[in-house]
Amino acid sequence: MKPQQKKKLEFLVFLVTTIVLFESWSIVNSDLTSDRIALEALRKAVGGRSLLWNISNGNPCTWVGVFCERNRVVELRLPAMGLSGRLPLGLGNLTELQSLSLRFNALSGPIPADIGNLASLRNLYLQGNLFSGEIPEFLFNLQNLIRLNLAHNKFSGVISPSFNKLTRLGTLYLEENQLNGSIPELNLNSLDQFNVSFNNLSGPIPEKLSGKPANSFLGNTLCGKPLIPCNGTSSGGDDDDDNKLSGGAIAGIVIGCVIGLLLILLILIFLCRKKRTKEGGVKDTGEPKHGEAEIPREKAVAQSGGNVSTGFAGTVTSAVAKGEAKSSGAKSLVFFGNTPRVFDLEDLLRASAEVLGKGTFGTTYKATLEMGVAVAVKRLKDVTVSEREFREKIEAVGKINHENLVPLRGYYYNKDEKLLVYDYMPMGSLSALLHGNRGAGRTPLNWETRSSIALGAARAVAHLHSQGQATSHGNIKSSNILLTTSFEARVSDFGLAHLAGPTPTPNRIDGYRAPEVTDARKVSQKADVYSFGILLLELLTGKAPTHSHLNDEGVDLPRWVQSVVKDEWTSEVFDLELLRYQNVEDEMVQLLQLAINCTAQYPDNRPSMAEVKNQIEELCRSSSQDTRLDVEDDKSSQQTFSVHSGAPSST
């Protein structure tokens, strides 16, 4: 080949390559432009809190909640953004979209038809909105759909059997809508999570769904497994025979009941004899040996590992040793309601004691009675009210009952000692759980546990506030959130602020006190909300308010959080232990926003505790029912998410 011909050939190859590359770039750019137009149409259509998108930046991949791959939008996540109005046509142009999350907004109307064009869509989360109309048929064209959540909307009509077209569907949540008719036969082998509770459904539950939990079907007029049988017959066929007790089983039950009655009689006889013996022993004319109540220091150290009560038993004894306990005008423990009277003041004085903590209103001890029962006893300090007022206020506290409050079982009052007796919570406080051990042996505190604790505490405080406008907790902090063995929250120290003396210069060191509070005895419900917001920030950040100062600048916890999220939401806010739970990032952000709202500077700008409780309930319901993305579907499991900073950055 001649040199001149060779040069012409090389030029032609270069020209063709350039044209191909230019056309490829044009196609890609055109696709991203189409994605941008669709997103701009969404931004224009929805109201509420404006989407913080820099429209002047031509690349939508840098916008909040927009995630891209290969220069195409593949995820759009805008949960709890305050969006309202109707979704516009145009989202169907996001042809590479794999996940769409618009949950917990105020979007209404029907789902736009072109959503059915999103052939790559795997996850669709629309729960917690106001969507209405029938579930559209075009959704059943989304053959790659794995998770579909339409819960907490206003969808009506029947559940279509066309759901069977979604052969990859693993999650289907339709609860709390207005659906009617029966549940169709769903032959979806991959369906793992299913819920149709609180609709207007009726008829039998299909056999293939009978293995789902009963709470998946509550709030309807359905029958069959796992609910009550239909027409008085079991939906399980041969199960009727299984449910019938054999003669041997019946005989065993009868024998067991007889033995149980005999044991009860023996226990009653034993207790009666013990009572008589005790009453006979009162004839002793010598001085009561109150020294028995004191704990030798060596024994106390061994029992408590150094956290010793050096004065509980002894001090109580000295206060009662004047003869009050056994004189004709004796003052004894006063118990509330149906609390079992299994011990008295003398038993309490003989108990071994261990210091649990020193708080705002006094020192709390673990008192282990001789019978092996453990109770928590708080020795109040700086009580300034009269005996009559004390008894009135404490008895009002004793009447408050809620499953997330530590019940006040009884009290003792005399001039020198005021004792409160509570149930003992073996797992200690939330403060100890969060901050007690950050070493190598620590078990990470996951999102489910933290959100559950937040919900339990919110329910308790909301219940207190429901008792009347004048009822508040007055001392909400993590050391007053105690835990059961299953890590359920129990709020303590409620109702004690009104017993304390005046504090003209309130102590703000603990970081929980609202800025408007000037007297610890006068804490409003909105001030409680502020303290609860600090508690939520503590749960999310892992930072105690007393140790939240950064670079010795004295910045308190809410100010630090707000300074971090002022320009963009980043993972820097959250406790490192939470960052491993990438699939709950939306819930974490929602709870963070709620905490910020609670810690607003002005009381009127804070939500009520009832609103706080409701929002956390919605959040926890979403967290427990919503997506647990598979490894192949959840890119965020390999990425450190950035809440308000566009695409996640790789770890």
Side-chain angles (χ1 to χ4, degrees):
M1 181 180 294
K2 296 180 179 180
Q4 189 174 4
Q5 292 176 329
K6 185 176 181 180
K7 288 182 179 180
K8 287 182 179 180
L9 182 60
E10 289 176 349
F11 175 76
L12 287 173
V13 170
F14 170 78
L15 184 61
V16 169
T17 303
T18 302
I19 292 172
V20 169
L21 289 174
F22 178 79
E23 288 182 349
S24 299
W25 178 85
S26 298
I27 292 171
V28 170
N29 188 59
S30 174
D31 288 338
L32 190 59
T33 300
S34 176
D35 289 350
R36 175 193 168 101
I37 292 171
L39 294 174
E40 288 182 348
L42 172 66
R43 184 177 185 269
K44 185 177 180 180
V46 297
R49 190 170 70 206
S50 56
L51 295 173
L52 302 177
W53 289 350
N54 184 5
I55 301 299
S56 62
N57 184 341
N59 185 2
C61 298
T62 63
W63 296 351
V64 173
V66 180
F67 304 94
C68 297
E69 283 185 358
R70 294 183 293 276
N71 221 30
R72 292 299 308 276
V73 176
V74 295
E75 291 188 13
L76 179 59
R77 296 180 177 271
L78 302 171
M81 298 291 287
L83 308 178
S84 62
R86 296 191 174 203
L87 291 180
L89 286 171
L91 290 179
N93 293 327
L94 302 171
T95 53
E96 295 299 318
L97 196 66
Q98 298 176 16
S99 292
L100 175 60
S101 176
L102 299 172
R103 57 184 177 170
F104 297 109
N105 286 289
L107 300 169
S108 58
I111 301 175
D114 62 345
I115 294 290
N117 298 336
L118 302 178
S120 299
L121 197 65
R122 296 179 179 181
N123 308 297
L124 179 58
Y125 312 125
L126 301 179
Q127 70 269 32
N129 283 284
L130 303 170
F131 290 115
S132 58
E134 296 186 356
I135 298 175
E137 286 287 325
F138 56 75
L139 289 183
F140 307 128
N141 296 330
L142 305 176
Q143 296 294 309
N144 287 310
L145 205 60
I146 295 174
R147 292 172 181 84
L148 176 61
N149 195 330
L150 304 178
H152 305 279
N153 280 287
K154 295 185 177 181
F155 288 111
S156 57
V158 300
I159 300 176
S160 173
S162 296
F163 275 106
N164 284 308
K165 295 180 181 179
L166 304 177
T167 55
R168 298 187 63 191
L169 198 64
T171 298
L172 177 59
Y173 288 136
L174 302 173
E175 69 269 23
E176 298 201 35
N177 280 286
Q178 299 167 11
L179 302 172
N180 54 43
S182 60
I183 303 176
E185 292 284 350
L186 295 179
N187 299 310
L188 299 172
N189 294 330
S190 58
L191 190 62
D192 180 47
Q193 297 173 307
F194 178 80
N195 198 323
V196 292
S197 60
F198 299 100
N199 280 283
N200 300 314
L201 301 171
S202 58
I205 296 172
E207 184 178 353
K208 287 204 170 183
L209 297 175
S210 62
K212 304 301 180 187
N215 57 15
S216 299
F217 305 98
L218 298 178
N220 295 287
T221 54
L222 297 167
C223 62
K225 283 187 175 181
L227 303 180
I228 60 173
C230 296
N231 299 324
T233 61
S234 171
S235 61
D238 295 337
D239 286 351
D240 285 340
D241 294 334
D242 295 337
N243 291 332
K244 294 178 181 178
L245 292 174
S246 65
I250 294 173
I253 292 173
V254 172
I255 294 171
C257 291
V258 172
I259 293 174
L261 287 172
L262 290 174
L263 287 173
I264 292 172
L265 287 173
L266 288 172
I267 292 171
L268 289 174
I269 292 170
F270 172 77
L271 291 175
C272 289
R273 294 185 64 181
K274 183 177 180 181
K275 183 177 181 181
R276 289 174 184 172
T277 303
K278 188 173 182 179
E279 289 174 349
V282 176
K283 297 177 181 178
D284 182 10
T285 57
E287 285 294 317
K289 298 179 181 180
H290 294 291
E292 293 177 2
E294 298 188 26
I295 310 172
R297 181 165 183 82
E298 295 78 11
K299 180 180 179 182
V301 171
Q303 289 175 341
S304 63
N307 192 20
V308 183
S309 164
T310 58
F312 167 62
T315 303
V316 172
T317 300
S318 65
V320 182
K322 301 172 183 178
E324 288 183 357
K326 291 190 176 181
S327 66
S328 58
K331 294 183 178 181
S332 59
L333 283 174
V334 178
F335 291 90
F336 294 108
N338 298 322
T339 302
R341 275 63 168 174
V342 295
F343 62 92
D344 56 20
L345 180 61
E346 197 170 341
D347 295 323
L348 191 60
L349 295 180
R350 285 198 295 265
S352 62
E354 174 186 341
V355 176
L356 295 177
K358 297 183 179 181
T360 306
F361 304 121
T363 304
T364 304
Y365 303 83
K366 174 187 177 183
T368 304
L369 305 172
E370 290 180 344
M371 64 189 74
V373 176
V375 294
V377 181
K378 180 180 286 291
R379 289 184 64 212
L380 296 178
K381 66 178 182 180
D382 300 330
V383 175
T384 58
V385 298
S386 65
E387 179 177 356
R388 179 179 178 182
E389 188 177 357
F390 177 88
R391 292 185 184 276
E392 287 177 352
K393 291 183 180 297
I394 284 298
E395 286 176 5
V397 172
K399 292 177 181 178
I400 300 176
N401 183 35
H402 189 270
E403 62 181 357
N404 292 112
L405 291 172
V406 178
L408 177 59
R409 298 302 187 187
Y411 71 93
Y412 172 82
Y413 180 96
N414 74 13
K415 181 180 178 181
D416 301 302
E417 286 290 350
K418 290 86 178 172
L419 307 177
L420 303 180
V421 181
Y422 295 92
D423 285 353
Y424 172 65
M425 296 288 113
M427 297 303 292
S429 70
L430 174 61
S431 177
L433 187 66
L434 280 173
H435 315 299
N437 174 24
R438 284 276 170 172
R442 174 179 170 83
T443 301
L445 191 56
N446 63 26
W447 165 254
E448 286 74 15
T449 302
R450 297 192 198 211
S451 58
S452 175
I453 291 171
L455 177 57
R459 285 172 171 167
V461 180
H463 179 75
L464 287 174
H465 287 191
S466 71
Q467 305 300 302
Q469 289 293 328
T471 306
S472 62
H473 185 288
N475 193 29
I476 296 172
K477 54 185 178 181
S478 60
S479 59
N480 283 337
I481 310 299
L482 306 183
L483 304 170
T484 68
T485 52
S486 56
F487 294 100
E488 296 174 352
R490 298 289 187 271
V491 176
S492 68
D493 262 28
F494 56 93
L496 304 185
H498 301 290
L499 303 175
T503 54
T505 54
N507 177 16
R508 301 184 188 277
I509 296 176
D510 63 6
Y512 293 94
R513 183 142 320 155
E516 72 274 10
V517 175
T518 58
D519 189 335
R521 299 173 301 173
K522 299 175 182 178
V523 177
S524 68
Q525 292 187 352
K526 284 302 179 78
D528 271 355
V529 173
Y530 181 93
S531 300
F532 192 83
I534 299 293
L535 179 71
L536 293 180
L537 292 178
E538 189 174 358
L539 269 169
L540 289 168
T541 65
K543 298 180 182 294
T546 49
H547 300 99
S548 61
H549 307 306
L550 304 176
N551 301 323
D552 297 324
E553 294 177 359
V555 179
D556 62 13
L557 190 52
R559 287 178 59 192
W560 174 71
V561 170
Q562 289 170 358
S563 70
V564 173
V565 303
K566 182 177 180 181
D567 298 321
E568 59 179 75
W569 299 76
T570 70
S571 57
E572 183 182 349
V573 171
F574 297 108
D575 189 348
L576 291 176
E577 290 181 355
L578 282 174
L579 294 181
R580 68 186 65 192
Y581 304 103
Q582 300 298 318
N583 51 346
V584 291
E585 60 198 61
D586 292 347
E587 289 87 347
M588 289 162 58
V589 172
Q590 290 176 58
L591 192 60
L592 181 64
Q593 183 60 58
L594 177 60
I596 291 173
N597 294 342
C598 290
T599 55
Q601 186 77 6
Y602 300 104
D604 290 344
N605 293 337
R606 301 169 197 157
S608 67
M609 274 309 303
E611 293 170 328
V612 172
K613 177 196 71 122
N614 290 339
Q615 289 188 47
I616 299 179
E617 283 178 342
E618 288 290 332
L619 188 151
C620 289
R621 186 182 297 115
S622 167
S623 179
S624 62
Q625 294 178 350
D626 206 2
T627 66
R628 294 297 175 263
L629 300 178
D630 299 330
V631 173
E632 61 173 310
D633 296 327
D634 189 3
K635 295 178 296 299
S636 62
S637 65
Q638 295 116 25
Q639 297 168 327
T640 300
F641 71 90
S642 176
V643 182
H644 271 190
S645 60
S649 58
S650 300
T651 55

